[in-house]
Amino acid sequence: MAETASRFTLGRLRLAVQIVMLFVTVYGGTLVGYYTAEKISKALPALSCAYDKLDGAYCVLIPTQHQLHHRVGEAIAQAGQFALSMVIPLAFTFLSFYLFFVFLNKAFCGWICPLGTLQDLAYRLGRWLKRPFRGLSDKAVRRLRPAKWLMLVVLVLALPLMAGLGVTPHVTGDAFCQVCPSRVATTLLTGDTTQLTINQKGALDFAFGALANTLFGFVFVAALAVRQPFCRICPLLALNAAFQRLSPMRLVKREHAKCDKCGICTKACPMDIPEIHREHGAKAFNEDCTLCGRCAEFCPDDDVIQLKFGPVRLFGSSRAYYKARAKGESPQGEIKAVHWVKKMESTNA
Amino acid sequence: MRGAHIVSIALLAALAGPSHAARPPGQGTDCRKVEAEAYTQLPLLVPAGRGDRGRAPYCLANLRAEEAKVRAGAGEPWSVPVAEAGFKVAARQAGNYHWLQAREETPDGVITASTVHYFSNPGPAPTAMLQASKAELEIVPQPLPREHWRYRADETWAFLVRFEGRPLPGAKLRLETSGGTRQVLAADAHGVVRIAFPADFRPAEDDHGGHHGREPGNGFVLAVGHTDEAGRYFLTAFNHKYGQAAGAGRSLGAGLGFLLLGGLLGLPLVLGKGGKNHG
């Protein structure tokens, strides 16, 4: 079992899926068809950017902001009243979003989001460059949590709606996209530097551009030492969290006597979630969880933490798997050189 | 021979000339005025006002027709009556790209004017619409800009010239823009012509004023002529608009500066020894 686990790990499977999906979300238009991205996937619960001309999918935040801006807001401003027909397109956006979401829940964040993958790769680069590990304390994690809800309410919902009402300038009609690091990162991956440039024709345009690029620079340098820095304030994580209890895909943790003295799961968690260590049951599946599965991989006891789809167990912690996994990598993601030396020696022998 | 075709394009267009007296197509737009102010004598289908998510008014310029054909997705085309040189196109159930075409037959030949209109509602991809044969002589965008994109100055876009469904290698096309550009271009051996849209915006228009395709745009028309074996002459034109270059009014230097600032702010996290974990 240990040998099997050393060859096939959930972590390796996730990395493979992440790389494939990075290509699909950034360059996928060339595979699935030039027009497909805007036809089937405006509801993708991951930051695949519509500013990328080659992408194979669109992030749900694009139609959400546009519908609030151009349909709901403008209609209220023009007609002076609210009608059900204004929100029907928005309802369909959320319905199609949920159709995607129901299968993978927040695994979109941990397995598919291109920005999540790029931050993950940056962190791996940081390990390779021997950069320090900066984990967030329980207090810091809890203090940061409201930020993603604030981003969702202000940048994704309120400002686009107010732009449609004519209260705020047009540039706020897709306020979140204006500051989203994924917009800059994914378009740069296609060789397009346009989104890196800053619009100089208005103070607000300039301010949005300056904020976006500063955030982008900070996120990718910080990601060398901090796991998933932007995910902690990402409004899509908040939107996903709002629906996470409705999906059959979930993280399950049962109570275990050893948990109080262990805490390796939180050390392995790229979002530093303390609840996975201290809680069990529904509380352990925290709003910050991206369903990456690292807590289950690094839990040293059998079936204490599981990834489940309805009644089906997809992956569960096991002592044998943990022993094999921990030989090659620390919970924080440091690659253990000793393991590789031993592996090479055994191969040579 | 090809040179003669180019000349005949201009002549035939001139013959088509300003059409009959026209009144508004329903949105207060005088199509006669639209035609008189057109930047070209080549046939055009000109948006007459902004329209909405389901309907859009158009004017005909430089050709006469009693009806316009509309096509969306893989469905059959339908006719829209032309009244006073204007017509209104209405989306049928689905949105997305609609192909609009008007046709005039004269003793000299056949003139067609085409454009595409995008309705901001979900609808089928335009692949089948573009593949379908819509006239004897056609200029087909390869591809159309996607929803969040548009033709832009300094970008190169391809168009296929085909006659009776087959590519027309070496065809000579005329490009005219409202910015004043006049060019003759040749299709390659596959009938494809690649156009680098010119940055020919006038200073007064040199202002974005927004984003998401809301900024001012120049009009362009691409036209080609062809005589078939029976000696019948065909002229077809495709017109649309293009915006300023994506980088116009934007600074890469400032972008890189703020990127560097962000990186510097993150640097203390990366330098030194590891911090306290999971306090």
Side-chain angles (χ1 to χ4, degrees), chain A residues 220-236:
Chain A
F220 278 93
V221 172
L224 294 168
V226 180
R227 294 177 290 189
Q228 310 301 106
F230 184 76
C231 300
R232 297 159 196 274
I233 60 166
C234 179
L236 203 48

Side-chain angles (χ1 to χ4, degrees), chain B residues 135-258:
Chain B
E136 295 88 342
L137 182 63
E138 296 178 280
I139 296 172
V140 186
Q142 299 276 302
L144 283 164
R146 295 201 311 199
E147 183 185 359
H148 282 80
W149 292 95
R150 61 185 310 198
Y151 295 119
R152 284 190 178 279
D154 297 338
E155 288 184 357
T156 299
W157 289 80
F159 297 83
L160 170 68
V161 184
R162 66 186 181 200
F163 183 71
E164 293 180 340
R166 288 193 295 272
L168 203 58
K172 290 279 169 53
L173 296 96
R174 186 166 182 83
L175 173 70
E176 298 193 3
T177 75
S178 61
T181 297
R182 301 288 182 266
Q183 287 179 5
V184 175
L185 305 122
D188 64 14
H190 305 288
V192 174
V193 62
R194 288 177 175 77
I195 294 175
F197 286 101
D200 56 359
F201 290 83
R202 297 187 183 97
E205 296 166 336
D206 189 27
D207 186 2
H208 270 248
H211 59 288
H212 284 269
R214 296 290 177 111
E215 65 261 40
N218 272 357
F220 77 90
V221 58
L222 192 58
V224 65
H226 181 70
T227 305
D228 70 6
E229 290 176 357
R232 199 175 187 207
Y233 188 73
F234 297 87
L235 168 69
T236 195
F238 174 81
N239 71 280
H240 210 265
K241 65 177 188 176
Y242 61 99
Q244 290 182 312
R250 304 177 73 95
S251 169
L252 182 59
L256 289 170
F258 282 102

